[in-house]
Amino acid sequence: MLYIMRHGKTDWNADRRLQGSEDIPLNEEGRQMARDARKKYGDLRFDICYCSPLQRAQETAEIFLEGSGTPILTDDRLREMGFGMYEGTEHVTQKPECPVYTLFHDPVHYHAVDGAESLEHLYARSGSFIHDVLTPEFVSGKNVLIVAHGALDCSLICQYEEIPLEHFWDQLLGNCELRRLVSSANVRKQILQNVICKFYRMHTNECGAVFLLFFAGNLRIHDQCFCHNDHLFSEKAFMPLRHTDSHA
């Protein structure tokens, strides 16, 4: 399973200042939030945690996972979205004259200026993290925790669950809120392809001849498929296409 969390509160959160790539630490309320989250979600176990390199996310992960033995790895692709010269601006959602205002009210039409990061670039780096890290970890059957930031988390959720950009901020997590990611059909297809490739490589003889063949169109997937300990499962299983379905 894949889980995602936003960091605890900082003084800049409290002041409604735009943080972005600024490396702002947790305040004491934020640290207590992480401790409270540890108690609230204490029944969950994680095999690995991937975390933003910014200290507010790292400290959240360290407090939340304290005593669990879960390894924490940082990945630069999990940094918060950059807002350029507007980082540090207070109450930006109430200032129409600020270019970043559009990001929060109409993300579809947001255009980054003055050193700010575009949504296209944000999606590219978080999307590469999904492809390079999350998908292989999911295939291996691990429980994975991601600890990052507001906009970054939204970009991961929207891509992983195929949520339109106009609903970007509807996915915003509260500080230290935990959410389980539910993969979209396309992500499940990508995961399945990875599993098939892995299984394909495992089933060869000494000469490299393949015994297992997958014919296009011969199988279809019903409901959500998932992997655990190198085995593929499905709530309704794989079902062969009937001849009457072949042109549907």
Side-chain angles (χ1 to χ4, degrees):
M1 295 293 181
L2 305 178
Y3 297 85
I4 190 166
M5 174 179 278
R6 184 183 174 194
H7 63 79
K9 185 175 284 188
T10 70
D11 285 342
W12 280 30
N13 284 139
D15 294 339
R16 302 290 183 182
R17 297 178 69 182
L18 201 57
Q19 295 184 109
S21 59
E22 289 290 327
D23 200 7
I24 309 302
L26 296 180
N27 59 22
E28 188 50 44
E29 183 181 0
R31 296 182 185 98
Q32 187 58 50
M33 282 180 161
R35 289 190 285 267
D36 291 343
R38 185 176 66 219
K39 295 177 182 177
K40 181 177 181 179
Y41 303 111
D43 58 329
L44 294 175
R45 295 292 179 267
F46 303 99
D47 297 300
I48 193 166
C49 171
Y50 290 95
C51 182
S52 162
L54 298 180
Q55 60 179 315
R56 58 187 182 271
Q58 286 196 63
E59 189 175 5
T60 299
E62 289 165 0
I63 295 172
F64 179 66
L65 296 170
E66 183 179 353
S68 68
T70 303
I72 301 173
L73 304 178
T74 60
D75 192 303
D76 203 56
R77 289 171 291 186
L78 297 179
R79 297 174 68 91
E80 177 59 307
M81 185 178 188
F83 302 112
M85 65 176 292
Y86 303 104
E87 292 181 355
T89 303
E90 295 184 4
H91 303 286
V92 68
T93 60
Q94 301 171 24
K95 296 179 176 179
E97 69 278 8
C98 179
V100 183
Y101 173 91
T102 305
L103 171 66
F104 293 96
H105 292 276
D106 186 13
V108 173
H109 296 103
Y110 173 63
H111 298 289
V113 296
D114 299 323
E117 182 178 15
S118 68
L119 281 167
E120 290 80 8
H121 186 269
L122 176 69
Y123 269 53
R125 65 179 170 92
S126 59
S128 74
F129 179 79
I130 291 174
H131 180 271
D132 297 343
V133 179
L134 289 191
T135 298
E137 294 286 26
F138 187 79
V139 168
S140 69
K142 292 181 180 178
N143 277 349
V144 179
L145 172 66
I146 303 154
V147 181
H149 309 269
L152 188 284
D153 287 352
C154 288
S155 75
L156 286 173
I157 293 168
C158 286
Q159 291 183 87
Y160 199 78
E161 299 186 2
E162 291 195 326
I163 296 169
L165 185 57
E166 55 262 34
H167 297 296
F168 183 85
W169 292 112
D170 294 339
Q171 317 314 314
L172 181 64
L173 301 177
N175 293 113
C176 287
E177 180 181 352
L178 185 70
R179 172 169 170 171
R180 183 169 69 87
L181 294 179
V182 179
S183 57
S184 68
N186 282 338
V187 170
R188 293 199 299 273
K189 180 179 178 181
Q190 181 183 9
I191 291 170
L192 176 61
Q193 289 172 340
N194 285 359
V195 173
I196 289 174
C197 289
K198 184 176 182 179
F199 194 64
Y200 189 88
R201 290 192 299 268
M202 290 170 59
H203 289 73
T204 59
N205 65 7
E206 294 179 354
C207 296
V210 176
F211 288 108
L212 182 62
L213 298 177
F214 287 89
F215 293 96
N218 193 43
L219 296 175
R220 68 181 177 189
I221 306 171
H222 285 244
D223 286 23
Q224 182 171 351
C225 294
F226 60 95
C227 301
H228 181 68
N229 294 337
D230 295 332
H231 295 288
L232 186 67
F233 297 86
S234 170
E235 294 178 4
K236 292 189 178 179
F238 285 77
M239 300 185 66
L241 285 174
R242 299 189 303 273
H243 290 297
T244 54
D245 295 331
S246 59
H247 301 291

